[in-house]
């Protein structure tokens, strides 16, 4: 039986729904598991899918990049744990062969009944070809970035044939964390270490103190370098 469609959509600023789940790392309560960390929840239509196999290996290899940003990563796929365990072996084998040592240690949620995918509005209802053997819709390939207050700060949905860019996801996490720490925004193509934009809420007088080296381009556009430890 197909799950009902949601009557509302999670948006930026929504509280990430809490849930209990079985994962490849054991049972979890999501909010409790996140603790005071940031989180990245990213979904997969199903196990043994080619694009997702490459993605999970990349996330495993970049474990330290996430850890040093206080980010916990968790995947979700519309299969049971037995398939997950078998898939992880393939991911590690392919990743090690093609890109270097790969060891998937982050948890992958078992969501064969689509309960969590439904909760997070990740089901592909529209594409009738995107169904499993039971006729259930597969999950959309979505990324959620969640802050320590359990607030959704970023969502990105990808089509099935396009691999996610985890450089971009890490870049956005850097920007979000910096913006939470300092009263700034980030300009186009920003990367860590680049000049930033003084936030519109900062008055000209405040800017002189907070950002003594800032440049006024227009009354509404002020940029500034930041110290190395920002």
């Amino acid at each position: 039986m197909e799950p009902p469609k949601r009557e509302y959509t999670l948006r930026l600023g929504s509280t990430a729904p809490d849930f209990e789940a079985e994962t490849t790392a054991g049972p979890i309560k999501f909010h409790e598991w996140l603790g005071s960390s940031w989180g990245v929840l990213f979904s997969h239509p199903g196990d043994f899918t080619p694009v997702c196999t490459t993605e999970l290996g990349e996330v495993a290899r970049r474990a330290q990049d996430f850890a040093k940003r206080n980010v916990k990563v968790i995947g979700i796929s519309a299969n049971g744990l037995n398939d997950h365990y078998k898939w992880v072996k393939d991911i590690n084998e392919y990743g090690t062969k093609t890109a270097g040592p790969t060891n998937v240690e982050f948890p992958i949620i078992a969501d064969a009944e689509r309960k969590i995918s439904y909760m997070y509005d990740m089901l592909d209802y529209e594409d009738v070809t995107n169904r499993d053997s039971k006729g259930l819709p597969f999950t959309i390939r979505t990324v959620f970035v969640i802050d320590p207050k359990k607030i959704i700060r970023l969502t990105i949905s990808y089509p099935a044939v396009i691999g996610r860019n985890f450089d971009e996801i890490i870049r956005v996490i850097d920007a979000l964390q910096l913006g939470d720490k300092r009263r700034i925004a980030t300009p186009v193509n920003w990367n860590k270490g680049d000049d930033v934009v003084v936030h519109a809420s900062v008055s000209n007088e405040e800017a002189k103190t907070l950002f003594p080296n800032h440049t006024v381009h227009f009354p509404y556009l002020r940029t500034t370098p930041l110290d190395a430890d920002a």
Side-chain angles (χ1 to χ4, degrees), residues 5-11 14 17 118-121:
K5 296 187 180 182
R6 292 181 59 92
E7 295 180 357
Y8 66 93
T9 300
L10 295 173
R11 294 180 170 85
S14 297
Y118 169 70
M119 185 184 300
Y120 274 77
D121 196 20

Side-chain angles (χ1 to χ4, degrees), residues 16 20 28 39 66 73 88 108 118 133 140 146 152 154 160 164 192 202 225 227 230:
E20 296 185 22
I28 66 163
F66 289 106
V73 178
V88 165
I108 305 172
Y118 169 70
S133 59
I140 299 168
I146 301 163
I152 295 171
L154 172 78
R164 284 172 264 222
K192 198 168 186 177
V202 177
D227 48 273

Side-chain angles (χ1 to χ4, degrees), residues 89-177:
K89 292 180 180 179
D90 287 356
I91 295 162
N92 289 337
E93 179 182 339
Y94 176 81
T96 299
K97 180 172 62 177
T98 58
T102 303
N103 183 22
V104 174
E105 295 183 324
F106 59 86
I108 305 172
I109 296 165
D111 194 34
E113 296 181 5
R114 318 301 200 264
K115 291 181 179 179
I116 299 165
S117 298
Y118 169 70
M119 185 184 300
Y120 274 77
D121 196 20
M122 295 188 291
L123 291 176
D124 188 352
Y125 294 102
E126 304 303 328
D127 184 355
V128 295
T129 68
N130 195 18
R131 304 292 174 110
D132 68 7
S133 59
K134 298 178 181 178
L136 288 172
F138 282 121
T139 49
I140 299 168
R141 299 174 63 253
T142 305
V143 179
F144 293 89
V145 173
I146 301 163
D147 72 16
K149 295 180 180 179
K150 315 302 183 289
I151 301 300
I152 295 171
R153 302 292 296 275
L154 172 78
T155 62
I156 311 176
S157 293
Y158 290 77
V161 296
I162 306 298
R164 284 172 264 222
N165 185 329
F166 284 93
D167 287 334
E168 169 63 6
I169 293 166
I170 288 174
R171 186 190 78 90
V172 173
I173 291 169
D174 283 339
L176 287 169
Q177 293 181 345

Side-chain angles (χ1 to χ4, degrees), residues 181-201:
K181 182 180 178 182
R182 304 288 293 270
R183 294 172 67 184
I184 59 91
T186 52
V188 63
N189 298 330
W190 177 87
N191 283 289
K192 198 168 186 177
D194 293 348
D195 286 2
V196 298
V197 173
V198 178
H199 197 277
S201 66

